[in-house]
Each structure stands twice: as C-alpha cells, then as structure tokens.
Amino acid sequence: MKKELVISLHGIGAPHESVNAEEASFWITRTAFTTLLEKILATQARAKVPTVITFDDGNLSDATIALPELAKRGLKAAFFVCACRVGAPHYLDRAALTDLLAGGMEIGTHGMYHQDWRALDEAGLDCELIQARRYIEDMCGQSVTKAAIPFGSYDRRLLTRLRQERLECVYTSDRGLAQSDSWLKPRETMDSSWGESHIDEILAHKLSLRKSLRRKAAMLYKRQR
C-alpha cells in the first residue's frame, strides 16, 4: 500500500491575543515554515513517500503568510477551519477563504467551536459535524469532504458518527505515516520545538520499529475504546 506523510501546522508568526498558552506552542516562525517548505521541495523528487501539508484552526496567517509562500513554490495544502471563527479578528474571513480556494488550496472542517468531539453528546456533535460543515460550505460555495479532529481526540463512538457523515477522509494527530487510501489518517504536528534536524528526521521517516509499533497500538486503542 502507498503511504504518505501528513504534516499538521497551525499559526505562523507571533500568536495573536486569542491564542491561549497551550496553543501558542504550535505557532512557528515564518523562517521555520519556509525552511520546512524548502526541505519538502528538496526531498520531493527522490522521496518515495509524498508529503501532504495541512493547517488547523483557520488563523489569518493561513492566507497572509502560508498561501503566498506555498504558491511561490507550487505547493498545495488543506486548511481545516473552525466555523465560529470565520470572520472573527485574527481568523480567516470569506474573502480569505476565497483566496485560498483560488490558489488551489482545499478547505475542510475543524468543527464549530474547537471542542473535544469525544466529550460531546449527540446534539453537540450535530453542531460540530453538521452545522459547522454546512456553514463552511456556505462560506466557500462548495462541498466540504474532509475533517480534522480537534486535539486528536477520538474513540469508537465518534468514528462511527463521523462515518455517518460520509466524509472522504478524517485526519488525526497520532503521528507517523498514513496509508494513502485510508479513511482515518495520522499526522505529524509541527510545533515551535522543531529545528532543521528534526524536520530532516520527519521527512526521512526515521522511526524505530519500537516507536512505530507503539503508535499503531495507540491508534488501535483509540479506535476500540
């Protein structure tokens, strides 16, 4: 089976006032971002495993920084948006979403209020999975077929519900390589601690058998709990 490396990013630049301390560690500098992109390009020709770039949360830096840097290099990405944040200060608005789509980017759903979906009742899931998706589709003027699970938190009940929504693909934060044709895909989440050597390790897929088995076991546990 073909595999792919999916990298998850959040904000680029200085975290804005709406970002809490926990989320701030997932913001990276513009230099770190462009270094990642350059290394992806450098390894692209010889890599047997393609790299997929994704963004969560819908920060404005997706359009003001990420989009032009991606376009400059001919790269694409998928952006997972929280519906309630569209149009709020420091987040993407309708015009920014239009710019991303015009640049060949993909828009997905990250829910409504950036909540732990696993902790919600059915009414809460209706809001996060159905209402949020419809709202984002209205903003974009096209279908939304992919979702990214907030905080990477899921269990058997949530996966069953997500399958009912007939999504093409759902992304987690489990780390490791994903099967290209899999419905549930793990991602490597880049944070402010990633230096050049760590980026090189991730892009080279250097992972011990022990760590690989541990990650697979963790995903299996989440699916069954």
PDB file of all heavy atoms in Angstrom, residues 70-104:
ATOM      1  N   LEU A  70       3.386  29.098  -0.124  1.00  0.00           N
ATOM      2  CA  LEU A  70       3.053  27.862  -0.831  1.00  0.00           C
ATOM      3  C   LEU A  70       2.992  28.107  -2.337  1.00  0.00           C
ATOM      4  O   LEU A  70       3.549  27.344  -3.136  1.00  0.00           O
ATOM      5  CB  LEU A  70       1.706  27.316  -0.340  1.00  0.00           C
ATOM      6  CG  LEU A  70       1.668  26.732   1.070  1.00  0.00           C
ATOM      7  CD1 LEU A  70       0.222  26.596   1.560  1.00  0.00           C
ATOM      8  CD2 LEU A  70       2.356  25.365   1.115  1.00  0.00           C
ATOM      9  N   ALA A  71       2.301  29.182  -2.727  1.00  0.00           N
ATOM     10  CA  ALA A  71       2.141  29.500  -4.154  1.00  0.00           C
ATOM     11  C   ALA A  71       3.485  29.747  -4.825  1.00  0.00           C
ATOM     12  O   ALA A  71       3.712  29.339  -5.972  1.00  0.00           O
ATOM     13  CB  ALA A  71       1.235  30.716  -4.310  1.00  0.00           C
ATOM     14  N   LYS A  72       4.379  30.410  -4.108  1.00  0.00           N
ATOM     15  CA  LYS A  72       5.704  30.707  -4.651  1.00  0.00           C
ATOM     16  C   LYS A  72       6.451  29.434  -5.040  1.00  0.00           C
ATOM     17  O   LYS A  72       7.262  29.422  -5.970  1.00  0.00           O
ATOM     18  CB  LYS A  72       6.506  31.487  -3.596  1.00  0.00           C
ATOM     19  CG  LYS A  72       7.843  32.019  -4.074  1.00  0.00           C
ATOM     20  CD  LYS A  72       8.634  32.594  -2.905  1.00  0.00           C
ATOM     21  CE  LYS A  72       7.859  33.690  -2.172  1.00  0.00           C
ATOM     22  NZ  LYS A  72       8.665  34.272  -1.058  1.00  0.00           N
ATOM     23  N   ARG A  73       6.143  28.336  -4.334  1.00  0.00           N
ATOM     24  CA  ARG A  73       6.854  27.071  -4.553  1.00  0.00           C
ATOM     25  C   ARG A  73       6.005  26.027  -5.290  1.00  0.00           C
ATOM     26  O   ARG A  73       6.439  24.889  -5.462  1.00  0.00           O
ATOM     27  CB  ARG A  73       7.301  26.518  -3.194  1.00  0.00           C
ATOM     28  CG  ARG A  73       8.321  27.409  -2.495  1.00  0.00           C
ATOM     29  CD  ARG A  73       8.500  27.043  -1.038  1.00  0.00           C
ATOM     30  NE  ARG A  73       9.531  27.861  -0.411  1.00  0.00           N
ATOM     31  CZ  ARG A  73       9.329  29.099   0.048  1.00  0.00           C
ATOM     32  NH1 ARG A  73       8.127  29.659  -0.062  1.00  0.00           N
ATOM     33  NH2 ARG A  73      10.318  29.774   0.600  1.00  0.00           N
ATOM     34  N   GLY A  74       4.807  26.425  -5.679  1.00  0.00           N
ATOM     35  CA  GLY A  74       3.948  25.488  -6.395  1.00  0.00           C
ATOM     36  C   GLY A  74       3.429  24.364  -5.533  1.00  0.00           C
ATOM     37  O   GLY A  74       3.122  23.271  -6.034  1.00  0.00           O
ATOM     38  N   LEU A  75       3.300  24.612  -4.235  1.00  0.00           N
ATOM     39  CA  LEU A  75       2.814  23.598  -3.303  1.00  0.00           C
ATOM     40  C   LEU A  75       1.352  23.849  -2.938  1.00  0.00           C
ATOM     41  O   LEU A  75       0.871  24.983  -2.987  1.00  0.00           O
ATOM     42  CB  LEU A  75       3.669  23.594  -2.033  1.00  0.00           C
ATOM     43  CG  LEU A  75       5.134  23.180  -2.208  1.00  0.00           C
ATOM     44  CD1 LEU A  75       5.916  23.428  -0.923  1.00  0.00           C
ATOM     45  CD2 LEU A  75       5.238  21.710  -2.618  1.00  0.00           C
ATOM     46  N   LYS A  76       0.667  22.790  -2.537  1.00  0.00           N
ATOM     47  CA  LYS A  76      -0.731  22.884  -2.136  1.00  0.00           C
ATOM     48  C   LYS A  76      -0.883  22.445  -0.681  1.00  0.00           C
ATOM     49  O   LYS A  76      -0.014  21.775  -0.119  1.00  0.00           O
ATOM     50  CB  LYS A  76      -1.622  21.998  -3.023  1.00  0.00           C
ATOM     51  CG  LYS A  76      -1.500  22.266  -4.510  1.00  0.00           C
ATOM     52  CD  LYS A  76      -1.944  23.669  -4.882  1.00  0.00           C
ATOM     53  CE  LYS A  76      -1.852  23.880  -6.390  1.00  0.00           C
ATOM     54  NZ  LYS A  76      -2.158  25.283  -6.773  1.00  0.00           N
ATOM     55  N   ALA A  77      -2.006  22.816  -0.080  1.00  0.00           N
ATOM     56  CA  ALA A  77      -2.274  22.430   1.304  1.00  0.00           C
ATOM     57  C   ALA A  77      -3.779  22.372   1.526  1.00  0.00           C
ATOM     58  O   ALA A  77      -4.566  22.920   0.748  1.00  0.00           O
ATOM     59  CB  ALA A  77      -1.633  23.414   2.281  1.00  0.00           C
ATOM     60  N   ALA A  78      -4.162  21.699   2.602  1.00  0.00           N
ATOM     61  CA  ALA A  78      -5.564  21.659   3.025  1.00  0.00           C
ATOM     62  C   ALA A  78      -5.693  22.437   4.329  1.00  0.00           C
ATOM     63  O   ALA A  78      -4.859  22.289   5.236  1.00  0.00           O
ATOM     64  CB  ALA A  78      -6.024  20.216   3.221  1.00  0.00           C
ATOM     65  N   PHE A  79      -6.731  23.282   4.421  1.00  0.00           N
ATOM     66  CA  PHE A  79      -6.928  24.155   5.576  1.00  0.00           C
ATOM     67  C   PHE A  79      -8.227  23.778   6.280  1.00  0.00           C
ATOM     68  O   PHE A  79      -9.311  23.845   5.680  1.00  0.00           O
ATOM     69  CB  PHE A  79      -6.960  25.613   5.128  1.00  0.00           C
ATOM     70  CG  PHE A  79      -5.659  26.088   4.547  1.00  0.00           C
ATOM     71  CD1 PHE A  79      -5.322  25.814   3.224  1.00  0.00           C
ATOM     72  CD2 PHE A  79      -4.760  26.802   5.323  1.00  0.00           C
ATOM     73  CE1 PHE A  79      -4.119  26.240   2.691  1.00  0.00           C
ATOM     74  CE2 PHE A  79      -3.542  27.234   4.791  1.00  0.00           C
ATOM     75  CZ  PHE A  79      -3.224  26.954   3.470  1.00  0.00           C
ATOM     76  N   PHE A  80      -8.122  23.391   7.553  1.00  0.00           N
ATOM     77  CA  PHE A  80      -9.277  22.947   8.325  1.00  0.00           C
ATOM     78  C   PHE A  80      -9.730  24.074   9.258  1.00  0.00           C
ATOM     79  O   PHE A  80      -8.999  24.493  10.150  1.00  0.00           O
ATOM     80  CB  PHE A  80      -8.932  21.672   9.087  1.00  0.00           C
ATOM     81  CG  PHE A  80      -8.677  20.511   8.155  1.00  0.00           C
ATOM     82  CD1 PHE A  80      -7.389  20.219   7.723  1.00  0.00           C
ATOM     83  CD2 PHE A  80      -9.737  19.756   7.670  1.00  0.00           C
ATOM     84  CE1 PHE A  80      -7.162  19.179   6.836  1.00  0.00           C
ATOM     85  CE2 PHE A  80      -9.514  18.714   6.784  1.00  0.00           C
ATOM     86  CZ  PHE A  80      -8.230  18.422   6.365  1.00  0.00           C
ATOM     87  N   VAL A  81     -10.948  24.535   9.014  1.00  0.00           N
ATOM     88  CA  VAL A  81     -11.448  25.776   9.604  1.00  0.00           C
ATOM     89  C   VAL A  81     -12.478  25.511  10.698  1.00  0.00           C
ATOM     90  O   VAL A  81     -13.328  24.627  10.558  1.00  0.00           O
ATOM     91  CB  VAL A  81     -12.092  26.634   8.495  1.00  0.00           C
ATOM     92  CG1 VAL A  81     -12.659  27.922   9.057  1.00  0.00           C
ATOM     93  CG2 VAL A  81     -11.083  26.923   7.395  1.00  0.00           C
ATOM     94  N   CYS A  82     -12.395  26.293  11.780  1.00  0.00           N
ATOM     95  CA  CYS A  82     -13.446  26.302  12.801  1.00  0.00           C
ATOM     96  C   CYS A  82     -14.508  27.310  12.356  1.00  0.00           C
ATOM     97  O   CYS A  82     -14.214  28.495  12.195  1.00  0.00           O
ATOM     98  CB  CYS A  82     -12.888  26.718  14.155  1.00  0.00           C
ATOM     99  SG  CYS A  82     -11.753  25.520  14.882  1.00  0.00           S
ATOM    100  N   ALA A  83     -15.729  26.835  12.176  1.00  0.00           N
ATOM    101  CA  ALA A  83     -16.780  27.674  11.584  1.00  0.00           C
ATOM    102  C   ALA A  83     -17.044  28.948  12.374  1.00  0.00           C
ATOM    103  O   ALA A  83     -17.230  30.026  11.797  1.00  0.00           O
ATOM    104  CB  ALA A  83     -18.066  26.860  11.454  1.00  0.00           C
ATOM    105  N   CYS A  84     -17.062  28.862  13.705  1.00  0.00           N
ATOM    106  CA  CYS A  84     -17.407  30.028  14.509  1.00  0.00           C
ATOM    107  C   CYS A  84     -16.350  31.123  14.438  1.00  0.00           C
ATOM    108  O   CYS A  84     -16.613  32.272  14.778  1.00  0.00           O
ATOM    109  CB  CYS A  84     -17.639  29.622  15.964  1.00  0.00           C
ATOM    110  SG  CYS A  84     -16.123  29.321  16.887  1.00  0.00           S
ATOM    111  N   ARG A  85     -15.158  30.789  13.982  1.00  0.00           N
ATOM    112  CA  ARG A  85     -14.075  31.764  13.932  1.00  0.00           C
ATOM    113  C   ARG A  85     -14.028  32.521  12.605  1.00  0.00           C
ATOM    114  O   ARG A  85     -13.301  33.511  12.488  1.00  0.00           O
ATOM    115  CB  ARG A  85     -12.741  31.064  14.166  1.00  0.00           C
ATOM    116  CG  ARG A  85     -12.593  30.481  15.575  1.00  0.00           C
ATOM    117  CD  ARG A  85     -11.288  29.716  15.727  1.00  0.00           C
ATOM    118  NE  ARG A  85     -11.058  29.309  17.112  1.00  0.00           N
ATOM    119  CZ  ARG A  85     -10.019  28.579  17.511  1.00  0.00           C
ATOM    120  NH1 ARG A  85      -9.125  28.171  16.621  1.00  0.00           N
ATOM    121  NH2 ARG A  85      -9.885  28.254  18.783  1.00  0.00           N
ATOM    122  N   VAL A  86     -14.758  32.058  11.601  1.00  0.00           N
ATOM    123  CA  VAL A  86     -14.719  32.711  10.294  1.00  0.00           C
ATOM    124  C   VAL A  86     -15.234  34.144  10.427  1.00  0.00           C
ATOM    125  O   VAL A  86     -16.343  34.386  10.903  1.00  0.00           O
ATOM    126  CB  VAL A  86     -15.573  31.947   9.266  1.00  0.00           C
ATOM    127  CG1 VAL A  86     -15.607  32.706   7.933  1.00  0.00           C
ATOM    128  CG2 VAL A  86     -15.017  30.539   9.044  1.00  0.00           C
ATOM    129  N   GLY A  87     -14.413  35.100  10.051  1.00  0.00           N
ATOM    130  CA  GLY A  87     -14.787  36.499  10.144  1.00  0.00           C
ATOM    131  C   GLY A  87     -14.414  37.168  11.449  1.00  0.00           C
ATOM    132  O   GLY A  87     -14.508  38.394  11.570  1.00  0.00           O
ATOM    133  N   ALA A  88     -13.969  36.374  12.441  1.00  0.00           N
ATOM    134  CA  ALA A  88     -13.546  36.955  13.720  1.00  0.00           C
ATOM    135  C   ALA A  88     -12.158  37.572  13.570  1.00  0.00           C
ATOM    136  O   ALA A  88     -11.392  37.184  12.677  1.00  0.00           O
ATOM    137  CB  ALA A  88     -13.537  35.884  14.805  1.00  0.00           C
ATOM    138  N   PRO A  89     -11.799  38.540  14.410  1.00  0.00           N
ATOM    139  CA  PRO A  89     -10.472  39.132  14.336  1.00  0.00           C
ATOM    140  C   PRO A  89      -9.370  38.074  14.412  1.00  0.00           C
ATOM    141  O   PRO A  89      -9.456  37.149  15.215  1.00  0.00           O
ATOM    142  CB  PRO A  89     -10.427  40.067  15.555  1.00  0.00           C
ATOM    143  CG  PRO A  89     -11.856  40.417  15.794  1.00  0.00           C
ATOM    144  CD  PRO A  89     -12.632  39.176  15.457  1.00  0.00           C
ATOM    145  N   HIS A  90      -8.363  38.188  13.559  1.00  0.00           N
ATOM    146  CA  HIS A  90      -7.198  37.311  13.503  1.00  0.00           C
ATOM    147  C   HIS A  90      -7.473  35.959  12.840  1.00  0.00           C
ATOM    148  O   HIS A  90      -6.576  35.102  12.811  1.00  0.00           O
ATOM    149  CB  HIS A  90      -6.609  37.069  14.898  1.00  0.00           C
ATOM    150  CG  HIS A  90      -6.388  38.311  15.693  1.00  0.00           C
ATOM    151  ND1 HIS A  90      -5.518  39.303  15.282  1.00  0.00           N
ATOM    152  CD2 HIS A  90      -6.937  38.738  16.866  1.00  0.00           C
ATOM    153  CE1 HIS A  90      -5.517  40.281  16.182  1.00  0.00           C
ATOM    154  NE2 HIS A  90      -6.376  39.975  17.138  1.00  0.00           N
ATOM    155  N   TYR A  91      -8.687  35.769  12.344  1.00  0.00           N
ATOM    156  CA  TYR A  91      -9.008  34.499  11.686  1.00  0.00           C
ATOM    157  C   TYR A  91      -9.451  34.750  10.238  1.00  0.00           C
ATOM    158  O   TYR A  91      -9.698  35.891   9.829  1.00  0.00           O
ATOM    159  CB  TYR A  91     -10.103  33.766  12.463  1.00  0.00           C
ATOM    160  CG  TYR A  91      -9.633  33.273  13.807  1.00  0.00           C
ATOM    161  CD1 TYR A  91      -9.942  33.982  14.979  1.00  0.00           C
ATOM    162  CD2 TYR A  91      -8.869  32.118  13.915  1.00  0.00           C
ATOM    163  CE1 TYR A  91      -9.493  33.546  16.222  1.00  0.00           C
ATOM    164  CE2 TYR A  91      -8.413  31.674  15.158  1.00  0.00           C
ATOM    165  CZ  TYR A  91      -8.731  32.383  16.300  1.00  0.00           C
ATOM    166  OH  TYR A  91      -8.276  31.953  17.522  1.00  0.00           O
ATOM    167  N   LEU A  92      -9.539  33.688   9.471  1.00  0.00           N
ATOM    168  CA  LEU A  92      -9.952  33.790   8.073  1.00  0.00           C
ATOM    169  C   LEU A  92     -11.374  34.320   7.958  1.00  0.00           C
ATOM    170  O   LEU A  92     -12.230  34.000   8.787  1.00  0.00           O
ATOM    171  CB  LEU A  92      -9.879  32.413   7.406  1.00  0.00           C
ATOM    172  CG  LEU A  92      -8.510  31.727   7.367  1.00  0.00           C
ATOM    173  CD1 LEU A  92      -8.658  30.290   6.865  1.00  0.00           C
ATOM    174  CD2 LEU A  92      -7.538  32.506   6.477  1.00  0.00           C
ATOM    175  N   ASP A  93     -11.625  35.127   6.923  1.00  0.00           N
ATOM    176  CA  ASP A  93     -12.978  35.549   6.612  1.00  0.00           C
ATOM    177  C   ASP A  93     -13.355  34.990   5.241  1.00  0.00           C
ATOM    178  O   ASP A  93     -12.580  34.231   4.636  1.00  0.00           O
ATOM    179  CB  ASP A  93     -13.109  37.077   6.659  1.00  0.00           C
ATOM    180  CG  ASP A  93     -12.133  37.780   5.726  1.00  0.00           C
ATOM    181  OD1 ASP A  93     -11.560  37.127   4.828  1.00  0.00           O
ATOM    182  OD2 ASP A  93     -11.941  38.999   5.891  1.00  0.00           O
ATOM    183  N   ARG A  94     -14.513  35.359   4.742  1.00  0.00           N
ATOM    184  CA  ARG A  94     -14.969  34.811   3.464  1.00  0.00           C
ATOM    185  C   ARG A  94     -13.991  35.139   2.329  1.00  0.00           C
ATOM    186  O   ARG A  94     -13.696  34.300   1.476  1.00  0.00           O
ATOM    187  CB  ARG A  94     -16.362  35.363   3.124  1.00  0.00           C
ATOM    188  CG  ARG A  94     -16.960  34.725   1.866  1.00  0.00           C
ATOM    189  CD  ARG A  94     -18.177  35.518   1.416  1.00  0.00           C
ATOM    190  NE  ARG A  94     -19.307  35.372   2.307  1.00  0.00           N
ATOM    191  CZ  ARG A  94     -20.279  34.446   2.159  1.00  0.00           C
ATOM    192  NH1 ARG A  94     -20.225  33.596   1.141  1.00  0.00           N
ATOM    193  NH2 ARG A  94     -21.283  34.396   3.010  1.00  0.00           N
ATOM    194  N   ALA A  95     -13.493  36.372   2.313  1.00  0.00           N
ATOM    195  CA  ALA A  95     -12.560  36.781   1.263  1.00  0.00           C
ATOM    196  C   ALA A  95     -11.279  35.953   1.308  1.00  0.00           C
ATOM    197  O   ALA A  95     -10.735  35.554   0.263  1.00  0.00           O
ATOM    198  CB  ALA A  95     -12.243  38.263   1.392  1.00  0.00           C
ATOM    199  N   ALA A  96     -10.783  35.692   2.514  1.00  0.00           N
ATOM    200  CA  ALA A  96      -9.558  34.899   2.660  1.00  0.00           C
ATOM    201  C   ALA A  96      -9.787  33.456   2.221  1.00  0.00           C
ATOM    202  O   ALA A  96      -8.920  32.847   1.584  1.00  0.00           O
ATOM    203  CB  ALA A  96      -9.073  34.950   4.102  1.00  0.00           C
ATOM    204  N   LEU A  97     -10.950  32.909   2.550  1.00  0.00           N
ATOM    205  CA  LEU A  97     -11.282  31.561   2.098  1.00  0.00           C
ATOM    206  C   LEU A  97     -11.324  31.508   0.572  1.00  0.00           C
ATOM    207  O   LEU A  97     -10.843  30.553  -0.047  1.00  0.00           O
ATOM    208  CB  LEU A  97     -12.627  31.120   2.679  1.00  0.00           C
ATOM    209  CG  LEU A  97     -12.661  30.855   4.189  1.00  0.00           C
ATOM    210  CD1 LEU A  97     -14.101  30.631   4.646  1.00  0.00           C
ATOM    211  CD2 LEU A  97     -11.804  29.653   4.555  1.00  0.00           C
ATOM    212  N   THR A  98     -11.893  32.540  -0.030  1.00  0.00           N
ATOM    213  CA  THR A  98     -11.949  32.627  -1.492  1.00  0.00           C
ATOM    214  C   THR A  98     -10.545  32.663  -2.078  1.00  0.00           C
ATOM    215  O   THR A  98     -10.267  32.014  -3.098  1.00  0.00           O
ATOM    216  CB  THR A  98     -12.734  33.872  -1.926  1.00  0.00           C
ATOM    217  OG1 THR A  98     -14.072  33.786  -1.426  1.00  0.00           O
ATOM    218  CG2 THR A  98     -12.780  33.983  -3.441  1.00  0.00           C
ATOM    219  N   ASP A  99      -9.652  33.413  -1.442  1.00  0.00           N
ATOM    220  CA  ASP A  99      -8.267  33.496  -1.916  1.00  0.00           C
ATOM    221  C   ASP A  99      -7.580  32.128  -1.839  1.00  0.00           C
ATOM    222  O   ASP A  99      -6.834  31.747  -2.757  1.00  0.00           O
ATOM    223  CB  ASP A  99      -7.475  34.504  -1.078  1.00  0.00           C
ATOM    224  CG  ASP A  99      -7.886  35.947  -1.352  1.00  0.00           C
ATOM    225  OD1 ASP A  99      -8.515  36.188  -2.402  1.00  0.00           O
ATOM    226  OD2 ASP A  99      -7.572  36.807  -0.521  1.00  0.00           O
ATOM    227  N   LEU A 100      -7.811  31.404  -0.754  1.00  0.00           N
ATOM    228  CA  LEU A 100      -7.210  30.079  -0.610  1.00  0.00           C
ATOM    229  C   LEU A 100      -7.702  29.135  -1.702  1.00  0.00           C
ATOM    230  O   LEU A 100      -6.913  28.416  -2.322  1.00  0.00           O
ATOM    231  CB  LEU A 100      -7.531  29.502   0.772  1.00  0.00           C
ATOM    232  CG  LEU A 100      -6.813  30.147   1.959  1.00  0.00           C
ATOM    233  CD1 LEU A 100      -7.397  29.635   3.271  1.00  0.00           C
ATOM    234  CD2 LEU A 100      -5.316  29.848   1.914  1.00  0.00           C
ATOM    235  N   LEU A 101      -8.998  29.150  -1.944  1.00  0.00           N
ATOM    236  CA  LEU A 101      -9.571  28.280  -2.976  1.00  0.00           C
ATOM    237  C   LEU A 101      -9.063  28.671  -4.361  1.00  0.00           C
ATOM    238  O   LEU A 101      -8.752  27.802  -5.185  1.00  0.00           O
ATOM    239  CB  LEU A 101     -11.094  28.340  -2.928  1.00  0.00           C
ATOM    240  CG  LEU A 101     -11.743  27.704  -1.690  1.00  0.00           C
ATOM    241  CD1 LEU A 101     -13.222  28.049  -1.626  1.00  0.00           C
ATOM    242  CD2 LEU A 101     -11.551  26.189  -1.710  1.00  0.00           C
ATOM    243  N   ALA A 102      -8.965  29.969  -4.614  1.00  0.00           N
ATOM    244  CA  ALA A 102      -8.460  30.443  -5.909  1.00  0.00           C
ATOM    245  C   ALA A 102      -7.009  30.027  -6.118  1.00  0.00           C
ATOM    246  O   ALA A 102      -6.561  29.857  -7.261  1.00  0.00           O
ATOM    247  CB  ALA A 102      -8.587  31.963  -5.998  1.00  0.00           C
ATOM    248  N   GLY A 103      -6.286  29.838  -5.024  1.00  0.00           N
ATOM    249  CA  GLY A 103      -4.895  29.409  -5.098  1.00  0.00           C
ATOM    250  C   GLY A 103      -4.742  27.904  -5.196  1.00  0.00           C
ATOM    251  O   GLY A 103      -3.614  27.391  -5.140  1.00  0.00           O
ATOM    252  N   GLY A 104      -5.864  27.199  -5.343  1.00  0.00           N
ATOM    253  CA  GLY A 104      -5.815  25.750  -5.494  1.00  0.00           C
ATOM    254  C   GLY A 104      -5.740  24.991  -4.187  1.00  0.00           C
ATOM    255  O   GLY A 104      -5.463  23.786  -4.173  1.00  0.00           O
TER     256      GLY A 104
END
